[in-house]
C-alpha cells in the first residue's frame, strides 16, 4: 500500500480543507491510538506551535485518542524537538506535534514521534493509514467501552524541563557571557523557550518576533525570512543572530556583518570543530539539495559525505545506517545525534556557539573555510496536485537534459516535488552565477508550461 496521507513530514495542508479538518484529526487520532495501543501504548504526549488552528486540532486529536483507549498529556505550545524529548522524559509511549513548521498560519500539520524520540517508521505509518482509510471511507471508527476511555491531563512544567535539557547539551566550562545575541523566534513555539536558554547561559539577548497572536507565525520572520534579523544584528551591533522557524526544528544564523549562515555552513562549522578536536565520528550526511561547496570543504579534511533524500527523516535513517552522528539540510534542519534524537534548532545553535567560543574566532571567521557554489532554487507552485505527471512530461525531461548538457561537469540539476507543499522545486548548481540562474529559469519555465 502506498502512502495516501503521510508526506515526508507527517500530514500537512490548509486548515479547513481535507485533510486538515476536525473530523480527519479525530479519526487520525483514533487510528494512531488503535495501532499504537496494539503495541502497548498507554499514553501519548501532544504539543503544538502557536497557530490558532492548533486549539481545534488538539481537541479533535484528544477525542480520537480517548476513543481508542489511549491517555493524553497536553504540553501546549512547544518546539517539535521538545515533544520528542519530553515524550521520552514523561515515559509517554508516543508524541504528537501539531504544526506546519515554516509554513504560514493558515496551514497546519500533524506528525508523530515514537517513545525513543524518533519519527514513526514506514511500517507504522502504513498501518495507521490503512485503519484511517477504513474510518474515513466506511465510518468504521469504533469507541472502546466507557471504562476503558483514555483520560487527558495537562503538564505545566514542560517548558522549564526542556530549557534545562537544552542547557545540558552545552559544556559546563563554557559561558555565553560577553556575547550579544539577537534571537528571532518567528512568533512560534520557541518564543518562551529560546531567549531564556541563551540568557540563562550568560548571553545578552535581544529577542525579536516573540509575540505570537495565532496568525503571525513565520510572517516575514524566523529562519525562512532573515531580513528583520539581519537588520536587528546590525542595529544592535550584536555578535550574531539566531533565527528559528515556527516549530524550532530549523535554525539559521546571521554573523556580525549581517551575512546569512545557512544549514550547509552550520554542518561545515560543526564538522570542522569536531575534526580539529579529534572527535569526528565517521562522516556527514547531507541531502540531494546540499551545496557542493560543503562536500568539497569536507573532502579537504578527508571527512566522508553522503547524500540522502530531502527530508530530515531520511537524514536520520542514513545516519543510523552509517553509525555517524552529524547530518542535516541547507534549510537549517541539523541532526546531532549525540545530543538529540531529532532536528533541534536550539540544541544545534548551542553547538555552533560552542565552536565559536572554543575557536576564539567570530562566526564569520570559522565559516570561511567553506566556499558555497552558486545555487539557485526556484519553487514552482502547482495548480494541480499531480506533480509526478508534470515531472514525467517529455518537455520537462528534455529541458533537464539540455540544461545538464550546458552545465557539463561544472554543475548539477535537481528536480523534485515538495513533500510538504504543492510545489515542484527546481535546483541548479554550478561554478558560474549567470549560467546557474539561466538554466534554473529555463527548467522552471518548462515546468510552468507543463
Amino acid at each position: 500500500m502506498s502512502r495516501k496521507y503521510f508526506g515526508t513530514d507527517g500530514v500537512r495542508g490548509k486548515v479547513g480543507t481535507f485533510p486538515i479538518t476536525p473530523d480527519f484529526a479525530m479519526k487520525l487520532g483514533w487510528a494512531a491510538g488503535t495501532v499504537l495501543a496494539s503495541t502497548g501504548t498507554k499514553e501519548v504526549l501532544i504539543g503544538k506551535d502557536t497557530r490558532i488552528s492548533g486549539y481545534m486540532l488538539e481537541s479533535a486529536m484528544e477525542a480520537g485518542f480517548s476513543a481508542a483507549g489511549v491517555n493524553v498529556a497536553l504540553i501546549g505550545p512547544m518546539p517539535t524537538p521538545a515533544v520528542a524529548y519530553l515524550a521520552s522524559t514523561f515515559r509517554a509511549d508516543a508524541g504528537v506535534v501539531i504544526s506546519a513548521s515554516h509554513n504560514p498560519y493558515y496551514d497546519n500539520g500533524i506528525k508523530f514521534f515514537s517513545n525513543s524520540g524518533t519519527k514513526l517508521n514506514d511500517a507504522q505509518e502504513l498501518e495507521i493509514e490503512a485503519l484511517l482509510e477504513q474510518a474515513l471511507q466506511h465510518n468504521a471508527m469504533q469507541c472502546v467501552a466507557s471504562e476503558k476511555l483514555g483520560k487527558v491531563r495537562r503538564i505545566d512544567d514542560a517548558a522549564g524541563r526542556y530549557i534545562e535539557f537544552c542547557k545540558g547539551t552545552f559544556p559546563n566550562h563554557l559561558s555565553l557571557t560577553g556575547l550579544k545575541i539577537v534571537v528571532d523566534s518567528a512568533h512560534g513555539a520557541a518564543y518562551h523557550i529560546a531567549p531564556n536558554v541563551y540568557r540563562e547561559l550568560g548571553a545578552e539577548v535581544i529577542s525579536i518576533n516573540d509575540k505570537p497572536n495565532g496568525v503571525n507565525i513565520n510572517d516575514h520572520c524566523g529562519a525562512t525570512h532573515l531580513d528583520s534579523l539581519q537588520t536587528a544584528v546590525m542595529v544592535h551591533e550584536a555578535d550574531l543572530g539566531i533565527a528559528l522557524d515556527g516549530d524550532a526544528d530549523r535554525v539559521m544564523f546571521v554573523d556580525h556583518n549581517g551575512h546569512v549562515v545557512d544549514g550547509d555552513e552550520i554542518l561545515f562549522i560543526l564538522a570542522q570543530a569536531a575534526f580539529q578536536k579529534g572527535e569526528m565520528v565517521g562522516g556527514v550526511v547531507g541531502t540531494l539539495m546540499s551545496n557542493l561547496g560543503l562536500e568539497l570543504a569536507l573532502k579537504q579534511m578527508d571527512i566522508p559525505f553522503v547524500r540522502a533524500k530531502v527530508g530530515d527523516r531520511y537524514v536520520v535513517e542514513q545516519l543510523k545506517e552509517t553509525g555517524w552522528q552529524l547530518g542535516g539540510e541547507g534549510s537549517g534542519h541539523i541532526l546531532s545525534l549525540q545530543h538529540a534524537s531529532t532536528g533541534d534548532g536550539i540544541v544545534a545553535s548551542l553547538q555552533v556557539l560552542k565552536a565559536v567560543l572554543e575557536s576564539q574566532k567570530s562566526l564569520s571567521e570559522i565559516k570561511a573555510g567553506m566556499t558555497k557554489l552558486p545555487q539557485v532554487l526556484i519553487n514552482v507552485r502547482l495548480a494541480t496536485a499531480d506533480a509526478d505527471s508534470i515531472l514525467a512530461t517529455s518537455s520537462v525531461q528534455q529541458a533537464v537534459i539540455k540544461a545538464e548538457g550546458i552545465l557539463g561537469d561544472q554543475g548539477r540539476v535537481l528536480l523534485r516535488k515538495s513533500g510538504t507543499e504543492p510545489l515542484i522545486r527546481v535546483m541548479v548548481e554550478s561554478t558560474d552565477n549567470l549560467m546557474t540562474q539561466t538554466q534554473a529559469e529555463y527548467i522552471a519555465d518548462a515546468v510552468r508550461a507543463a
Side-chain angles (χ1 to χ4, degrees):
M1 175 182 173
S2 61
R3 271 191 189 79
K4 188 172 183 179
Y5 304 111
F6 286 96
T8 57
D9 204 18
V11 181
R12 191 176 292 187
K14 189 173 183 179
V15 176
T17 301
F18 187 86
I20 307 301
T21 63
D23 178 67
F24 180 89
M26 180 176 66
K27 290 173 179 174
L28 175 59
W30 171 80
T34 301
V35 170
L36 294 172
S38 69
T39 62
T41 294
K42 302 298 182 185
E43 183 175 69
V44 298
L45 198 76
I46 299 181
K48 60 185 179 181
D49 63 25
T50 56
R51 61 195 80 214
I52 193 169
S53 57
Y55 295 99
M56 174 185 74
L57 297 174
E58 180 185 61
S59 297
M61 292 289 289
E62 267 183 65
F65 279 117
S66 179
V70 175
N71 296 328
V72 174
L74 303 174
I75 60 173
M78 290 291 287
T80 288
V83 177
Y85 164 71
L86 292 167
S88 175
T89 295
F90 284 103
R91 302 298 187 267
D93 299 286
V96 178
V97 180
I98 300 170
S99 172
S101 190
H102 59 285
N103 286 22
Y105 78 93
Y106 47 76
D107 290 337
N108 216 329
I110 301 165
K111 51 190 170 185
F112 296 84
F113 289 94
S114 70
N115 57 4
S116 61
T118 59
K119 293 182 180 178
L120 298 186
N121 60 43
D122 290 351
Q124 288 173 308
E125 287 189 354
L126 290 173
E127 191 176 355
I128 291 170
E129 287 209 338
L131 202 56
L132 175 60
E133 184 75 1
Q134 294 178 29
L136 292 170
Q137 300 297 328
H138 308 292
N139 199 27
M141 178 176 159
Q142 297 177 347
C143 184
V144 299
S146 296
E147 68 274 13
K148 295 181 180 179
L149 290 171
K151 298 177 181 178
V152 180
R153 66 186 176 112
R154 187 169 294 278
I155 297 174
D156 296 321
D157 64 344
R161 288 177 180 246
Y162 180 60
I163 288 172
E164 290 304 313
F165 162 74
C166 292
K167 289 164 56 182
T169 66
F170 192 74
N172 288 331
H173 68 277
L174 294 178
S175 168
L176 299 182
T177 301
L179 281 181
K180 182 188 288 188
I181 301 173
V182 181
V183 180
D184 181 349
S185 301
H187 298 303
Y191 78 98
H192 59 319
I193 303 284
N196 290 325
V197 170
Y198 307 118
R199 284 194 187 103
E200 292 181 23
L201 289 172
E204 178 186 348
V205 175
I206 295 98
S207 182
I208 64 174
N209 301 316
D210 58 356
K211 297 174 177 59
N213 61 14
V215 298
N216 60 359
I217 186 171
N218 300 314
D219 187 9
H220 294 91
C221 59
T224 53
H225 298 86
L226 294 164
D227 291 354
S228 61
L229 180 62
Q230 291 173 295
T231 299
V233 166
M234 301 305 289
V235 167
H236 292 282
E237 298 183 342
D239 294 291
L240 53 88
I242 300 171
L244 303 165
D245 68 340
D247 69 336
D249 63 353
R250 293 187 185 195
V251 63
M252 299 281 268
F253 279 79
V254 169
D255 67 21
H256 71 284
N257 296 313
H259 298 152
V260 172
V261 180
D262 69 8
D264 288 338
E265 291 166 310
I266 291 171
L267 283 177
F268 166 74
I269 289 169
L270 297 182
Q272 176 182 244
F275 173 77
Q276 291 173 345
K277 295 182 69 176
E279 297 175 354
M280 189 68 207
V281 177
V284 175
V285 177
T287 74
L288 297 172
M289 298 289 287
S290 297
N291 194 281
L292 186 57
L294 170 62
E295 184 174 352
L296 296 175
L298 293 175
K299 188 175 182 179
Q300 289 185 339
M301 295 183 283
D302 291 325
I303 296 176
F305 178 77
V306 298
R307 295 178 185 269
K309 290 192 293 184
V310 176
D312 59 337
R313 66 179 295 156
Y314 300 113
V315 175
V316 171
E317 289 174 3
Q318 192 70 47
L319 285 172
K320 289 184 175 179
E321 185 177 317
T322 57
W324 300 349
Q325 295 180 338
L326 182 62
E329 304 180 89
S331 60
H333 276 127
I334 306 297
L335 282 300
S336 179
L337 295 189
Q338 68 188 105
H339 299 108
S341 60
T342 188
D344 191 316
I346 298 174
V347 169
S349 73
L350 291 175
Q351 302 316 303
V352 173
L353 292 172
K354 172 190 171 187
V356 168
L357 292 173
E358 290 183 335
S359 70
Q360 297 184 327
K361 297 178 180 179
S362 70
L363 179 60
S364 176
E365 289 173 320
I366 64 172
K367 76 165 186 176
M370 171 186 160
T371 301
K372 291 178 65 178
L373 268 63
Q375 188 181 81
V376 174
L377 174 64
I378 300 177
N379 292 322
V380 181
R381 189 160 291 275
L382 305 180
T384 171
D386 194 7
D388 291 321
S389 64
I390 294 173
L391 292 173
T393 57
S394 60
S395 58
V396 171
Q397 292 181 345
Q398 286 300 315
V400 171
I401 291 170
K402 183 176 179 180
E404 288 178 334
I406 292 172
L407 294 170
D409 59 3
Q410 300 301 306
R412 66 190 185 101
V413 173
L414 178 65
L415 198 62
R416 70 178 188 89
K417 65 178 181 179
S418 168
T420 59
E421 300 176 78
L423 301 172
I424 286 179
R425 304 192 192 280
V426 180
M427 192 279 286
V428 176
E429 185 176 51
S430 81
T431 55
D432 182 86
N433 272 306
L434 180 59
M435 182 166 62
T436 304
Q437 185 69 43
T438 300
Q439 297 310 310
E441 290 175 356
Y442 170 67
I443 297 171
D445 286 342
V447 173
R448 292 188 190 99

